[in-house]
Amino acid sequence: MDKFMQEAIKEAQQGLAEGGIPIGSVIVHNNKIIGRGHNRRVQNGSPILHGEMDAFEDAGRQSAQTYKESIMYTTLSPCAMCTGAIILYGIPKVVIGENHTFMGEEALLQSKGISVKVLQNQQCIDLMQGFIDSKPQLWNEDIGE
Protein backbone atom coordinates (compact mmCIF):
# COMPACT_ATOMS: atom_id res chain seq x y z
CA MET A 1 0.00 0.00 0.00
CA ASP A 2 1.07 3.56 -0.67
CA LYS A 3 3.15 4.89 2.24
CA PHE A 4 1.25 8.18 2.26
CA MET A 5 -2.15 6.49 2.53
CA GLN A 6 -0.66 4.43 5.35
CA GLU A 7 0.21 7.71 7.12
CA ALA A 8 -3.36 8.97 6.60
CA ILE A 9 -4.64 5.71 8.13
CA LYS A 10 -2.33 6.24 11.13
CA GLU A 11 -3.89 9.67 11.57
CA ALA A 12 -7.39 8.14 11.41
CA GLN A 13 -6.42 5.54 14.02
CA GLN A 14 -5.05 8.28 16.27
CA GLY A 15 -8.33 10.17 15.99
CA LEU A 16 -10.27 7.06 17.00
CA ALA A 17 -7.90 6.45 19.93
CA GLU A 18 -8.57 10.03 21.10
CA GLY A 19 -12.33 9.35 21.13
CA GLY A 20 -12.94 11.06 17.81
CA ILE A 21 -13.98 10.13 14.30
CA PRO A 22 -11.47 7.94 12.41
CA ILE A 23 -10.72 10.03 9.34
CA GLY A 24 -7.13 10.98 8.56
CA SER A 25 -5.35 12.97 5.91
CA VAL A 26 -1.91 14.05 4.75
CA ILE A 27 -0.78 16.66 2.26
CA VAL A 28 2.29 15.67 0.26
CA HIS A 29 4.59 18.03 -1.65
CA ASN A 30 7.64 16.74 -3.54
CA ASN A 31 7.26 13.31 -1.95
CA LYS A 32 7.30 14.78 1.58
CA ILE A 33 4.44 15.22 4.05
CA ILE A 34 3.94 18.93 4.70
CA GLY A 35 0.69 18.60 6.64
CA ARG A 36 -1.05 15.83 8.53
CA GLY A 37 -4.23 15.68 10.48
CA HIS A 38 -7.27 13.81 11.64
CA ASN A 39 -10.84 14.66 12.44
CA ARG A 40 -10.76 16.58 15.75
CA ARG A 41 -14.36 17.77 15.94
CA VAL A 42 -15.01 15.85 19.16
CA GLN A 43 -11.61 16.42 20.76
CA ASN A 44 -11.56 20.21 20.11
CA GLY A 45 -15.29 20.89 20.05
CA SER A 46 -14.73 22.26 16.54
CA PRO A 47 -17.33 22.40 13.79
CA ILE A 48 -14.69 22.45 11.04
CA LEU A 49 -11.72 20.28 12.00
CA HIS A 50 -12.31 17.39 9.64
CA GLY A 51 -9.23 15.35 8.70
CA GLU A 52 -8.45 17.36 5.57
CA MET A 53 -8.98 20.71 7.31
CA ASP A 54 -6.69 19.61 10.15
CA ALA A 55 -4.01 18.68 7.60
CA PHE A 56 -4.32 22.13 6.00
CA GLU A 57 -4.02 23.70 9.46
CA ASP A 58 -0.92 21.60 10.18
CA ALA A 59 0.64 22.54 6.83
CA GLY A 60 0.26 26.16 7.81
CA ARG A 61 0.73 29.01 5.42
CA GLN A 62 2.10 27.69 2.14
CA SER A 63 2.57 29.39 -1.21
CA ALA A 64 -0.10 28.88 -3.85
CA GLN A 65 2.57 27.14 -5.94
CA THR A 66 3.28 24.63 -3.18
CA TYR A 67 -0.38 23.64 -2.96
CA LYS A 68 -0.64 23.47 -6.78
CA GLU A 69 2.16 20.87 -6.68
CA SER A 70 0.73 18.82 -3.79
CA ILE A 71 -1.39 15.71 -3.37
CA MET A 72 -4.07 15.26 -0.70
CA TYR A 73 -4.40 11.76 0.74
CA THR A 74 -7.53 11.17 2.79
CA THR A 75 -9.02 8.00 4.23
CA LEU A 76 -12.59 9.00 3.31
CA SER A 77 -14.25 10.75 0.37
CA PRO A 78 -14.12 14.51 1.17
CA CYS A 79 -17.28 16.31 2.28
CA ALA A 80 -18.41 19.60 0.73
CA MET A 81 -16.41 21.71 3.21
CA CYS A 82 -13.15 19.83 2.68
CA THR A 83 -13.73 19.69 -1.07
CA GLY A 84 -14.09 23.48 -1.05
CA ALA A 85 -10.73 23.89 0.67
CA ILE A 86 -9.07 21.49 -1.79
CA ILE A 87 -10.50 23.52 -4.69
CA LEU A 88 -9.66 26.87 -3.07
CA TYR A 89 -5.99 25.96 -2.61
CA GLY A 90 -5.65 24.30 -6.00
CA ILE A 91 -4.64 20.83 -4.89
CA PRO A 92 -4.48 19.00 -8.27
CA LYS A 93 -4.81 15.38 -7.05
CA VAL A 94 -6.73 13.65 -4.29
CA VAL A 95 -6.16 10.02 -3.32
CA ILE A 96 -9.12 8.66 -1.35
CA GLY A 97 -8.98 5.59 0.85
CA GLU A 98 -12.64 4.72 0.35
CA ASN A 99 -16.05 6.05 -0.63
CA HIS A 100 -18.07 2.97 0.32
CA THR A 101 -19.24 4.30 3.71
CA PHE A 102 -19.60 7.93 2.56
CA MET A 103 -19.64 9.44 -0.93
CA GLY A 104 -18.37 12.99 -0.76
CA GLU A 105 -18.02 15.61 -3.48
CA GLU A 106 -15.82 13.63 -5.87
CA ALA A 107 -17.82 14.76 -8.91
CA LEU A 108 -17.27 18.40 -7.93
CA LEU A 109 -13.53 17.82 -7.56
CA GLN A 110 -13.41 16.20 -10.99
CA SER A 111 -15.50 18.99 -12.53
CA LYS A 112 -12.75 21.39 -11.42
CA GLY A 113 -10.08 19.33 -13.18
CA ILE A 114 -8.81 17.66 -10.03
CA SER A 115 -7.57 14.08 -10.41
CA VAL A 116 -9.42 11.73 -8.05
CA LYS A 117 -8.22 8.22 -7.30
CA VAL A 118 -10.31 5.97 -5.03
CA LEU A 119 -8.52 2.96 -3.57
CA GLN A 120 -11.45 1.20 -1.81
CA ASN A 121 -8.91 0.22 0.83
CA GLN A 122 -10.40 -2.44 3.11
CA GLN A 123 -8.64 -1.07 6.19
CA CYS A 124 -10.25 2.35 5.60
CA ILE A 125 -13.67 0.76 5.00
CA ASP A 126 -13.45 -1.38 8.15
CA LEU A 127 -12.32 1.58 10.28
CA MET A 128 -15.25 3.76 9.19
CA GLN A 129 -17.88 1.01 9.15
CA GLY A 130 -16.93 -0.06 12.66
CA PHE A 131 -17.19 3.52 13.85
CA ILE A 132 -20.52 4.17 12.09
CA ASP A 133 -21.97 0.96 13.54
CA SER A 134 -20.84 1.79 17.09
CA LYS A 135 -21.56 5.55 17.12
CA PRO A 136 -24.22 6.37 14.51
CA GLN A 137 -25.35 9.59 16.24
CA LEU A 138 -21.83 11.01 16.31
CA TRP A 139 -21.32 10.06 12.66
CA ASN A 140 -24.60 11.72 11.64
CA GLU A 141 -23.53 14.86 13.51
CA ASP A 142 -20.24 14.89 11.62
CA ILE A 143 -21.91 14.76 8.22
CA GLY A 144 -24.66 17.23 9.16
CA GLU A 145 -27.60 14.84 9.45
Side-chain angles (χ1 to χ4, degrees):
M1 177 195 307
D2 186 293
K3 68 180 178 180
F4 296 122
M5 182 55 68
Q6 199 59 56
E7 289 300 311
I9 291 170
K10 284 181 189 174
E11 286 291 327
Q13 291 168 330
Q14 183 178 341
L16 185 63
E18 293 170 357
I21 299 161
I23 303 167
S25 184
V26 296
I27 301 170
V28 177
H29 180 256
N30 288 340
N31 219 30
K32 179 178 176 273
I33 295 173
I34 61 169
R36 58 174 55 241
H38 52 273
N39 187 304
R40 294 180 198 256
R41 287 185 62 257
V42 173
Q43 300 91 312
N44 290 20
S46 168
I48 61 167
L49 275 184
H50 284 191
E52 299 90 338
M53 301 300 275
D54 194 36
F56 274 119
E57 185 73 14
D58 184 58
R61 188 174 169 195
Q62 298 289 331
S63 72
Q65 191 60 40
T66 296
Y67 283 127
K68 288 179 187 346
E69 297 169 349
S70 294
I71 301 171
M72 170 75 76
Y73 288 79
T74 183
T75 59
L76 187 65
S77 187
C79 73
M81 175 179 65
C82 297
T83 293
I86 291 165
I87 293 167
L88 178 67
Y89 290 104
I91 302 279
K93 182 176 182 178
V94 180
V95 179
I96 298 167
E98 64 104 353
N99 63 11
H100 176 76
T101 60
F102 176 77
M103 173 56 81
E105 301 295 330
E106 295 172 24
L108 178 56
L109 289 168
Q110 290 169 327
S111 77
K112 298 292 186 178
I114 296 167
S115 168
V116 174
K117 181 178 181 182
V118 182
L119 304 177
Q120 297 302 16
N121 175 280
Q122 195 60 49
Q123 193 175 2
C124 293
I125 294 169
D126 292 347
L127 202 55
M128 275 312 300
Q129 194 60 61
F131 176 79
I132 292 167
D133 291 346
S134 67
K135 297 187 177 176
Q137 286 180 306
L138 185 54
W139 172 238
N140 287 337
E141 176 190 315
D142 195 64
I143 57 173
E145 290 187 7

